[in-house]
Every structure is written in structure tokens, then in C-alpha cells.
Amino acid sequence: MPFTDTTACRAVAAALLATAALALTTACHDLSVHRAGSPGGVSPAPTSTSREDGENLSPGPDGRVACTPEMLRFHAGAMPRRTHRMLLTVTNSSGRTCHFAAQRYPLLRFGDDRQPTLPAIAASRPSTAVSLAPGDTAYATITTSSAAGEPGGRGHRGRKISQFGVALTGRATPTQVGLDGRAPVHVDPRTATVTYWQPSLDAARKW
């Protein structure tokens, strides 16, 4: 009988130890899940930065990011000695190099958001996407209307504007850019076009 009692005690003790270990494991697991889902828990640092318009701003292998309106200074106005032409410039005022690889020409609207953006002049596309180091400037030439007598010309039909919307991506909210000097420019949204971003003023003047 003593042998039987000792064996029974050992069996009971082993069962109690197993039950306690299982309870401890379950409690630790529940605590871990609670901490992971708690607002006060520590989360891994994000590996990239995103904007509400869906554009990924994480730097590429060369450290560049996509240009955003917050990184740029905008200027626009009539092009001297060029009829039916307007020049849009953007200067990188940030401390980072950025590029226009995702959207290689500006999306312009002369009017409300119901109008389509101006079509780009396909032949003006540079061989490589324009990249802006801090302080650098990119250019885009805007053909404000087709002159009378040209194919598709509509004479002087259109409107006068002193500002217009510029978007850098299709999902971004347009930035309103006022014309230098606030001198109105005559435009015809039905025949106006825009070039791709150009790396120099000389390149932009060709259009």
C-alpha cells in the first residue's frame, strides 16, 4: 500500500504541474496578443512614406523621390515673343532630389474639374524622365490655343485666365498657379496642349 500511495501522489503532482504550465503558457500568449493589438503597443517603424493621393514617396536606390507640390515653387506666364505660348516652371525648393518619372508631363486644366486635362505633345517627350536636384528648375511649354489658319484653328474663341490648376499625378489635388504679374492670357481649352517636362529653357522654347 505505501508503494501505491506514493505512486498516486507522484501522478497527482505531475498532473498539477502540467496543468499549471498549460495555464501559464495560455496567459503569456493572451498577454502577447493584447499588447500587439493595444494602441499603446510599439509598432515597427514604417519602411516608406505614402500620401493620400496614393503616391509612394519612399526614396529609390539613388535616394530620389517623386516630386510633390510641397517641394516645388511654381511660376507661369506668357512666353515673350511667342504667340499662343505660355511657360510653366517648377523649381525644387526642398533639400532632396526628386523626379517626374511616374507622371512625365504636368496635368493642366483651364477651368473646372469636369474638363479633361490638356493633352501632351508626344514629340516633346525627353529620352529620360526629368530629375531635379535642390535648386534646379524644370519647364513645360503650353500652347494656349491654335492660331487661326492652323489645322484645327478656332480663331479667338476661348477665355482669358489669370490662374490655372496643375497636378503632378492623376490622383493629386491640383495646385492653383497664378500667372506672373496677374496679366490674363487668352486660352482655348479645346485646342491647348502642353509639352512633357523639359530639363532646360532652351529645350522648352523649341515648342
Side-chain angles (χ1 to χ4, degrees):
M1 286 301 291
F3 175 80
T4 302
D5 292 342
T6 300
T7 301
C9 288
R10 287 178 177 176
V12 171
L16 291 175
L17 286 174
T19 302
L22 179 60
L24 180 60
T25 301
T26 302
C28 290
H29 175 73
D30 291 343
L31 180 60
S32 175
V33 171
H34 175 73
R35 286 181 176 176
S38 172
V42 178
S43 301
T47 56
S48 64
T49 304
S50 299
R51 293 175 54 83
E52 291 182 358
D53 57 18
E55 181 181 0
N56 192 337
L57 298 185
S58 59
D62 54 2
R64 300 183 308 162
V65 297
C67 295
T68 65
E70 295 78 12
M71 303 174 72
L72 305 173
R73 293 197 308 268
F74 294 80
H75 294 280
M79 189 177 290
R81 297 181 297 278
R82 296 290 304 279
T83 59
H84 309 289
R85 297 292 186 274
M86 188 162 56
L87 185 67
L88 171 66
T89 68
V90 289
T91 301
N92 185 355
S93 58
S94 74
R96 306 180 69 179
T97 297
C98 67
H99 61 80
F100 296 106
Q103 175 59 49
R104 297 183 62 173
Y105 61 89
L107 302 175
L108 309 183
R109 280 190 173 91
F110 295 152
D112 55 43
D113 292 341
R114 291 174 295 179
Q115 294 181 341
T117 57
L118 300 190
I121 302 173
S124 69
R125 177 171 178 156
S127 57
T128 58
V130 171
S131 178
L132 293 180
D136 282 357
T137 300
Y139 307 82
T141 297
I142 303 165
T143 303
T144 57
S145 62
S146 294
E150 293 181 356
R154 298 175 184 266
H156 295 288
R157 298 175 63 181
R159 69 182 70 173
K160 287 186 177 181
I161 63 168
S162 58
Q163 68 177 15
F164 57 94
V166 180
L168 302 181
T169 64
R171 301 172 65 182
T173 301
T175 298
Q176 292 300 313
V177 178
L179 304 185
D180 292 345
R182 293 291 178 177
V185 171
H186 184 273
V187 302
D188 184 348
R190 294 161 295 185
T191 61
T193 57
V194 64
T195 66
Y196 281 73
W197 288 115
Q198 305 295 314
S200 68
L201 181 57
D202 287 341
R205 284 175 173 164
K206 295 178 180 179
W207 304 98

